[in-house]
Amino acid sequence: MTIRAGSLDRRTLLRGAIATAAMGSFAVACGSPSSKDDGGDSGPKGKKDAKNPFGVAANSKVDAAIFNGGYGTDYVDYVNQVMGQQVKGAKVVVKPVVDIAPELQPRFVGGNPPDLIDNSGEDQIGFLGILDQLEELDDVFEANTYEGKKIADIVYPGVKDPGTFKDKFVALNYVMTVYGVWYSKTLFEANGWTPPKTWDEALDLGAKAKKKGKYLFVHGKEAATYYRTLLIDSAIKEGGDEVRLALENLEKGCWSHPAVQGVIKAMETMVKEKMFVPGGSGTQFQKAQAIWSNDQKALLYPSGGWIENEMKKATKADFQMTGFPSMTLTDKPKMPYESLRAAAGEPFIVPKQGKNPAGGKEVLRAMLSEKAAANFSKTKLAPTIVKGTVPADGYGSSALVSQTKMLEAAGTNIFTYNFVEAYGMNTDQLVPWNSFLSGDLDAKGLTSALQKISDKVREDDSVDKIKVS
């Protein structure tokens, strides 16, 4: 993972959701392009048919600005290997971009944005500021894949939600991020251990680890809030939607919910029992992760599905990295144990004012083909929103296999939340989490600190709030 200095975490794979809905800074700058006010009708035209549902002109070019982050841009270049089979001579021309807003804002203002944008990264463009300048993408989901299947029928549930603003589906989030707890399958099998399903089972496992001279968990200073993610995921599974909505809507006392407190107190016990590798608050996060993945001094690590690819150069041979869903407090939680936090990310948008918006949509259709989706998973070790494109062997990736199995087992019991990213809380929350995991702050102190951060945002009239229901 690449931890940034800003408020958003990792690849900020949830950045396409309400994270940017809270940003209105581009509303004025981008609200009135200087030309082509009607939008969406410009560009070359082709005949619409089953193979060409958007009417892309033959031999046309698609100008694509793709965020050059953790996934690179080559997976969009790959589209050229499949798109021409549907629309003769059509080609996507990819321009890698790191600072999306600074580079592309002038093009929106000038009325000549790219045909397709991966609106990602720390400097992404706020969606509300350009909402009226974006094509709605419902017709992409209603179109058929290159294999003849309706796209809406072959993607995971809820993948439209992160890209829908004011009831307009304008951002297609391409990558599925699966959150869970990770371990070495070979280490567990060698010791006869099984992944814990409840926090009590995790405490028992921690005691077994101590007898082997090992720890249960490890943390790094920049990623201490991974344990906040584990806390929230566990609490939502235990207490259901009332926990999620209380946190998302910044309610008074939301961090004091019994399900939240139960998990915090379990963590506090683990800290007191010295089940965390000491010194984490002074250890760079990747070095801390290597204590788990390479040295195997710790048994478990909470993270998103990016962890295998991130640590591939610092993982012990035959580690067989495997994930499982976050633990619950009891064996009768409100949501099934298999419930999972997973969310679509990496938001792609199609500006109306582009020269070839139909071509932008066609690139998205090509990316959702079985061949292109499989190529992404094979080269990036992460699943796309397209179901059934990861083979049983996960291209040799045990972590990818386990992500697919977790998604399948969860079924429709998939949830997510966005308030931390939406309101930029991560940086502030790192301070109490590092103190708590180091044993310098107790459960009451952590609860108070987290509540103060939520209260500060809720009571700040200058911050736009989004009601989640």
Side-chain angles (χ1 to χ4, degrees):
M1 163 182 250
T2 303
I3 298 289
R4 296 187 175 103
S7 61
L8 304 185
D9 64 8
R10 178 68 176 101
R11 293 190 188 96
T12 37
L13 288 178
L14 295 179
R15 57 188 169 268
I18 61 173
T20 51
M23 298 168 55
S25 58
F26 291 94
V28 176
C30 298
S32 302
S34 60
S35 60
K36 304 178 186 176
D37 289 334
D38 51 354
D41 296 323
S42 60
K45 298 291 189 299
K47 182 180 179 181
K48 292 185 178 182
D49 55 32
K51 291 186 67 174
N52 189 7
F54 311 120
V56 181
N59 302 310
S60 63
K61 299 291 191 295
V62 182
D63 175 16
I66 306 301
F67 175 62
N68 191 14
Y71 295 129
T73 62
D74 58 299
Y75 68 98
V76 183
D77 286 297
Y78 183 85
V79 164
N80 287 316
Q81 297 189 34
V82 295
M83 187 166 62
Q85 300 169 14
Q86 297 284 307
V87 183
K88 182 180 179 181
K91 181 180 180 180
V92 59
V93 179
V94 174
K95 180 181 180 182
V97 181
V98 175
D99 302 317
I100 294 291
E103 186 161 339
L104 299 183
Q105 179 189 0
R107 294 187 62 176
F108 273 95
V109 174
N112 64 333
D115 305 312
L116 180 69
I117 300 171
D118 175 14
N119 187 29
S120 302
E122 194 168 67
D123 291 312
Q124 68 178 164
I125 303 173
F127 285 95
L128 292 184
I130 56 172
L131 186 60
D132 292 338
Q133 298 184 54
L134 301 178
E135 290 277 342
E136 294 188 42
L137 303 177
D138 299 275
D139 54 348
V140 175
F141 270 36
E142 291 303 310
N144 284 344
T145 66
Y146 286 8
E147 295 77 31
K149 301 174 183 177
K150 186 177 178 180
I151 288 174
D153 294 337
I154 54 93
V155 297
Y156 286 106
V159 295
K160 271 189 173 183
D161 296 343
T164 300
F165 305 90
K166 294 185 177 180
D167 296 324
K168 292 184 178 181
F169 173 45
V170 296
L172 191 153
N173 288 265
Y174 185 61
V175 186
M176 282 298 288
T177 300
V178 176
Y179 295 84
V181 184
W182 304 84
Y183 69 103
S184 166
K185 184 178 179 181
T186 50
L187 178 65
F188 271 52
E189 288 180 346
N191 288 277
W193 297 329
T194 56
K197 290 187 175 182
T198 66
W199 281 93
D200 282 343
E201 290 179 9
L203 279 165
D204 290 341
L205 180 61
K208 293 174 182 177
K210 289 177 71 174
K211 291 180 180 180
K212 294 283 187 177
K214 297 181 182 294
Y215 298 87
L216 185 62
F217 286 121
V218 64
H219 85 280
K221 59 182 178 181
E222 303 95 337
T225 46
Y226 283 15
Y227 288 89
R228 174 210 62 219
T229 298
L230 178 57
L231 159 66
I232 296 173
D233 294 357
S234 295
I236 288 174
K237 288 170 63 170
E238 186 67 34
D241 273 348
E242 67 178 66
V243 176
R244 179 180 61 84
L245 294 175
L247 292 169
E248 287 255 69
N249 292 313
L250 311 175
E251 292 180 7
K252 294 180 179 179
C254 57
W255 292 99
S256 295
H257 189 283
V260 176
Q261 284 299 297
V263 178
I264 290 179
K265 289 173 182 176
M267 288 184 176
E268 181 182 45
T269 298
M270 292 173 176
V271 172
K272 289 180 178 179
E273 292 294 324
K274 302 188 184 304
M275 293 183 180
F276 279 78
V277 175
S281 297
T283 305
Q284 193 269 346
F285 81 101
Q286 287 181 327
K287 291 182 179 179
Q289 290 172 181
I291 291 173
W292 162 73
S293 64
N294 194 60
D295 304 340
Q296 295 193 312
K297 290 183 179 179
L299 271 55
L300 304 176
Y301 191 70
S303 180
W306 60 77
I307 187 67
E308 183 186 40
N309 192 51
E310 181 172 83
M311 299 306 294
K312 60 186 176 182
K313 294 182 180 179
T315 299
K316 187 176 180 179
D318 198 32
F319 188 85
Q320 292 190 36
M321 193 178 295
T322 307
F324 64 92
S326 58
M327 296 83 74
T328 57
L329 277 172
T330 67
D331 58 4
K332 294 182 179 179
K334 286 193 176 179
M335 298 183 72
Y337 163 73
E338 292 79 12
S339 301
L340 194 67
R341 182 190 177 195
E346 214 69 28
F348 284 78
I349 57 177
V350 177
K352 292 179 180 178
Q353 301 293 333
K355 293 181 179 179
N356 191 3
K361 291 184 177 182
E362 185 62 32
V363 171
L364 293 178
R365 190 167 78 104
M367 288 170 61
L368 295 168
S369 68
E370 290 180 5
K371 189 173 181 181
N375 171 72
F376 181 92
S377 293
K378 182 178 181 179
T379 57
K380 311 303 178 185
L381 301 181
T384 68
I385 61 173
V386 181
K387 296 184 291 186
T389 55
V390 177
D393 67 354
Y395 305 107
S397 164
S398 58
L400 184 54
V401 169
S402 63
Q403 289 177 72
T404 303
K405 287 183 177 179
M406 284 192 284
L407 285 167
E408 290 174 351
T412 58
N413 292 306
I414 292 174
F415 63 90
T416 191
Y417 48 88
N418 304 287
F419 71 101
V420 173
E421 291 84 4
Y423 301 117
M425 294 179 172
N426 193 65
T427 300
D428 289 341
Q429 290 182 350
L430 275 170
V431 177
W433 272 103
N434 270 297
S435 295
F436 175 71
L437 297 177
S438 298
D440 297 327
L441 190 66
D442 62 10
K444 183 178 180 180
L446 176 64
T447 302
S448 176
L450 295 175
Q451 191 64 58
K452 285 180 180 178
I453 293 169
S454 290
D455 291 347
K456 181 179 178 181
V457 175
R458 186 188 65 251
E459 295 167 6
D460 187 345
D461 293 337
S462 69
V463 177
D464 290 334
K465 313 299 190 308
I466 296 179
K467 180 69 176 177
V468 181
S469 59

